[in-house]
Amino acid sequence: MWKSGNSACGLLTCVLALAGLVGGYSTALGAEKDADWPADVANYKAVAPGEHPRLLFRKTDVPALREKAKTAEGQAITKRLRATLNGSDGESIPTAFNGSGHAYQGNKATESEDANADNGKTNSNKNVGKSIEMPLGAFTISHAAGFGLLYQLTGEKKYADLGRQCFEMSMKGVRDRDDRYSFRTPGGSLRCGPSLGWSALGYDLCYDGWDPEFREKVAAEFSKYNEGPHCSIEECILGKRQKPGSNHWGMEVGGSAMAMLGILNDPGCDMKKFSPLFEASQQIMVRNMTEGFGDGGFFPEGDGTGSMSSHIVFLPALQAWRNAAGKDFITPRPNAQWMANKWFLLTQSNKGKPIFQPQRGAYAHNIWARDGLSGGGYFSIGLGVAANDQVKAGILGYYDHFGFADVDAKAGTPFDTPSPYPHHSILAFVNWPIGMEAKSLNDAIPHAVHDDRWGFYAWRNKYQDNSDVIISILTKSTKGNYGCKGELTLSILTGGKSSKWGTIRGFTGDFAPAASGSTVLTTGDGSCLAIDFSGASGSGAMLVMTGQGAGKGDVVEAGANKFTFLFPGGAPTAKPAVDGNKVKVGDQNVSFDGKKIVLERM
């Protein structure tokens, strides 16, 4: 186990201008401010027409995945996958369906041996209530995909046949366990995108097991897809409904992009329609990561809404871009990486129970809601967009060390699979680096981040336990449809509790943290803040402020300067002591050069 330590031309013009806002992520990750975005994947072999699978993995990956399925870890994940497919062994189509007739009616559980008979709208005496939680194994938009993975891992056509039955149900209108999602008449473009994307994964994984006539029929269904206002595939790809910064948008554009990538050049695909959409969609992906999210992963509507726009389907769509089109949106810039990794940076855990404070913006119920679509798959999806093996090992370490692995194992939902959706088990199976040594995130991702589009700053001193210190502030108000109010004080999370400190009227100057996360910044009122994670003071975290913005703490005057100290990382063994014009705290010397605080050891 690891040990902790500190260590269109107008649209294109807009995209390029916004790309100038993007900062570097970490030299260790190879991100460059001016790197091409998306980058071409090195030595990429283009997908041939009719070649499948292609979205989450390629045909050449199948032998290794079959070996993976033989491991104890692979068997545990596929066992969970099977349970999500029919509540037991995954050897038959589900028996539980949503009898709701349309979106937002309220989930109505029903059992039927022939859900096709009435398009899944059964409201018989088996209806057990309204707006209930559907049982495990109830039909979903990713059931065809779940059977498709079993087909890929076993080569047994019966699973492709089961996937076909599920897809036929979807085409006839059988709704998801959450009635807002459906291949037919989804609840608006925000539900349409994921319905398209995860249905397309089913087509992708079952393709070789279907006869040519049926797969061409399905490709044509995607190609001409139009389920009402703002719910055509082309409208969703172009993001015609809503805009970046709305939680709807990432779902809308991400899922439709995945569907497009799944059918490109296949029989039944209208390439006259999709060739220009393929180019436009790349610009749309960038817009979601620059106008919606910023380079530090912050979302203007807040955290719970942001998880919808990133994790429901958008980040997996970036994985599909890499596999199916050879386009890398992940490593050239920090944006996608922080969309995934900010959840680890900002979260403490009490034996696998996440502690995320403060919860900014709307839909806080989605934050770390691991049992559904919104807020599920933070680990499995994060692994799929990790910049390199060092980050993957760090995510594994976080999952193991902070209790998530134990909680999931005890619940029978191993490797980040508590969600009842089959695609979450698929993502876990495909993306989990079985056999990789788990390590700490300490040296894998930066300890400090600044989202310069939205004025968000965050720091973490280490990844060890609940004594870790997490500091954050949103320095200006943000707005999508919902919004977040700007803050004038730092939020400090440690010991599972959140507190406030100081008055911060924005920051000025460059954001240039040390590797430890230690940072010195001046504020809009002329105050100065220093965050010291070096450990030189004898405390895991030391905050120092000068000027009128200083909060309550230990006040020490040295020369003409007054310093206020706070030690959220625990009191140092030696108290701050005046040493001429400096203040000595352990092995750290603090001074003021006339403009800003100087930490002798960063």
Side-chain angles (χ1 to χ4, degrees), residues 488-508:
L488 295 176
T489 185
L490 298 172
S491 290
I492 303 172
L493 175 63
T494 189
K497 297 180 180 180
S498 184
S499 60
K500 305 290 186 181
W501 193 71
T503 300
I504 307 294
R505 300 189 181 279
F507 290 120
T508 62

Side-chain angles (χ1 to χ4, degrees), residues 212-258:
E213 292 77 16
F214 183 70
R215 58 200 192 198
E216 183 172 348
K217 175 184 176 180
V218 172
E221 285 283 346
F222 284 111
S223 189
K224 66 183 182 182
Y225 188 87
N226 188 340
E227 290 295 309
H230 309 295
C231 287
S232 68
I233 192 169
E234 54 265 46
E235 286 176 299
C236 286
I237 288 171
L238 295 173
K240 292 293 187 179
R241 178 66 172 157
Q242 298 293 344
K243 58 188 177 181
S246 163
N247 63 82
H248 296 204
W249 217 65
M251 299 164 64
E252 174 185 352
V253 303
S256 57
M258 185 182 288

Side-chain angles (χ1 to χ4, degrees), residues 380-398:
S380 60
I381 292 171
L383 287 164
V385 296
N388 54 40
D389 284 349
Q390 186 179 19
V391 178
K392 289 181 182 180
I395 294 173
L396 291 184
Y398 192 103

Side-chain angles (χ1 to χ4, degrees), residues 419-433:
S419 166
Y421 280 87
H423 67 267
H424 280 132
S425 293
I426 295 171
L427 289 163
F429 181 85
V430 173
N431 294 335
W432 215 271

